[in-house]
Amino acid sequence: MWDSVPWFIGGGAHHSPEVARLLAYAATSGAEGVVTPGDLKVVPLDVPGSSVRALSGACFMLNKAAGGAQQTYVGRNPSEDVVAISATGSGSGRSDLVVARVEDPNMPGEPWNDPADPTTGPYIFTRVIPNVSPTTTTMPAGQSGIPLARIDIPANTATITSSMIKDLRKLARPRSWNDYDVQAGINAAGGGAEYIRVTDSDWRTWPLNTMSVTIPTWATHAQISIHLSGIGATGPGDVNTRIQLGNLFGAISYLDHNGNPGTPVGFVEKINHFAYAEFDVRAYQGTTQTLKVNSRRTFPQNTGDIWFGEGEQIAFDVRFRELVV
């Protein structure tokens, strides 16, 4: 039998909470978690003590009660919430789970009591579930809520520090976006390919190709790969490369070309090279930055010529992500 009042009927019709929660479920595709990257992060007190703080934010939580299928609660914490953590004794440590939990006594089979004022609640809380397994990362079965953090407390400890807090938050609807460009190599000034010489032992832009990248306002991280195809080489040569985005620099990648000693003088080999980096881009949100490759020669005893020009190709691949922070 249908729920007799669908969303939304006018004229003073009474809409059920089940249909309202169904709307939230459909709008979020049944996702659970925090809404934006910094929401509901669990941190120590400003002066570490026997409590922790759940910062402000919002979340989506599936209704796990009997009859709660395809229903989502939406919770909002407009200011930080402080909860106490019990001290451990001298015998052993303990792990506690900090959660955001809906306690809805109107759902059948739920153990929660009615609040003093049913019109204002509260029906949602930051709760501490003590003495869980030190590998726990999920809510207890059947409870409507999301895990925020696990506190792994050593023995004989009453002060909670950041090193004891394991962040368990997940974004309910993380965003991502890809930017991609393929370019032919650029000739150096005066014509001809751009060589990287044995004397180029300091970092410089090589190849000359760059890409202009606009960082989305929501992006927290970027994963970048750059593929150089058809690099020319006449003999052994070693090049370090690193990806640069704005003023951010990735880790070194190594181009270690040993040459082909069985070929005649003047033989040109074509080699490929791949570089990868991951950056925290929160400081660049909403800005446009230049993406390029820095390179330098190493092991000057390997003197083969290495170049990149219009006969070669470079592929830039950028993936922006939204992660909890």
Side-chain angles (χ1 to χ4, degrees):
M1 179 180 295
W2 288 93
D3 188 312
S4 59
V5 183
W7 195 273
F8 190 90
I9 301 296
H14 290 274
H15 298 80
S16 71
E18 289 80 9
V19 168
R21 290 193 291 263
L22 172 61
L23 180 66
Y25 178 90
T28 58
S29 299
E32 279 194 307
V34 299
V35 177
T36 59
D39 286 356
L40 305 179
K41 185 174 184 177
V42 175
V43 297
L45 300 177
D46 288 335
V47 177
S50 59
S51 298
V52 295
R53 299 177 293 149
L55 301 183
S56 62
C59 60
F60 304 130
M61 298 156 288
L62 293 177
N63 187 347
K64 303 290 179 55
Q70 293 185 311
Q71 298 175 34
T72 294
Y73 293 103
V74 180
R76 175 176 173 265
N77 183 32
S79 60
E80 67 179 39
D81 200 12
V82 177
V83 291
I85 306 294
S86 299
T88 55
S90 59
S92 64
R94 189 185 72 245
S95 292
D96 291 352
L97 191 66
V98 181
V99 305
R101 187 169 70 191
V102 172
E103 300 179 5
D104 185 352
N106 301 295
M107 292 299 298
E110 292 293 270
W112 320 118
N113 296 319
D114 287 327
D117 185 350
T119 63
T120 61
Y123 296 98
I124 184 171
F125 304 87
T126 306
R127 294 297 198 196
V128 178
I129 301 174
N131 202 28
V132 300
S133 164
T135 60
T136 297
T137 58
T138 59
M139 288 289 294
Q143 295 192 16
S144 302
I146 58 169
L148 302 179
R150 192 182 67 238
I151 317 296
D152 298 319
I153 316 161
N156 199 30
T157 299
T159 299
I160 307 302
T161 63
S162 58
S163 63
M164 303 174 194
I165 301 174
K166 178 176 176 56
D167 191 358
L168 299 179
R169 297 170 305 140
K170 295 182 179 178
L171 275 170
R173 301 292 300 273
R175 288 170 282 189
S176 64
W177 182 68
N178 280 67
D179 203 354
Y180 188 80
D181 191 25
V182 178
Q183 303 174 11
I186 299 173
N187 284 338
E194 173 71 359
Y195 284 77
I196 184 160
R197 309 285 187 183
V198 174
T199 54
D200 292 325
S201 57
D202 294 328
W203 291 108
R204 71 178 185 86
T205 301
W206 183 89
L208 298 175
N209 301 74
T210 65
M211 178 182 177
S212 183
V213 177
T214 299
I215 290 84
T217 56
W218 49 260
T220 61
H221 292 78
Q223 293 176 319
I224 301 173
S225 60
I226 297 179
H227 186 199
L228 304 174
S229 177
I231 297 170
T234 59
D238 299 270
V239 181
N240 289 352
T241 66
R242 66 182 183 186
I243 292 173
Q244 180 179 355
L245 176 66
N247 291 320
L248 303 174
F249 297 92
I252 293 173
S253 297
Y254 302 98
L255 190 162
D256 181 9
H257 179 58
N258 295 315
N260 187 344
T263 58
V265 174
F267 178 81
V268 176
E269 295 183 87
K270 290 292 187 176
I271 53 181
N272 298 325
H273 180 66
F274 180 85
Y276 173 83
E278 184 164 356
F279 299 118
D280 183 327
V281 296
R282 284 176 287 169
Y284 288 131
Q285 289 173 335
T287 69
T288 299
Q289 302 294 327
T290 298
L291 175 61
K292 59 186 178 180
V293 180
N294 292 164
S295 302
R296 67 183 181 189
R297 285 293 289 262
T298 59
F299 299 105
Q301 64 271 28
N302 293 332
T303 59
D305 287 331
I306 298 178
W307 68 87
F308 198 86
E310 64 180 359
E312 289 72 56
Q313 294 81 38
I314 182 170
F316 299 90
D317 193 351
V318 185
R319 183 189 182 199
F320 293 108
R321 303 180 66 196
E322 185 179 31
L323 304 175
V324 291
V325 293

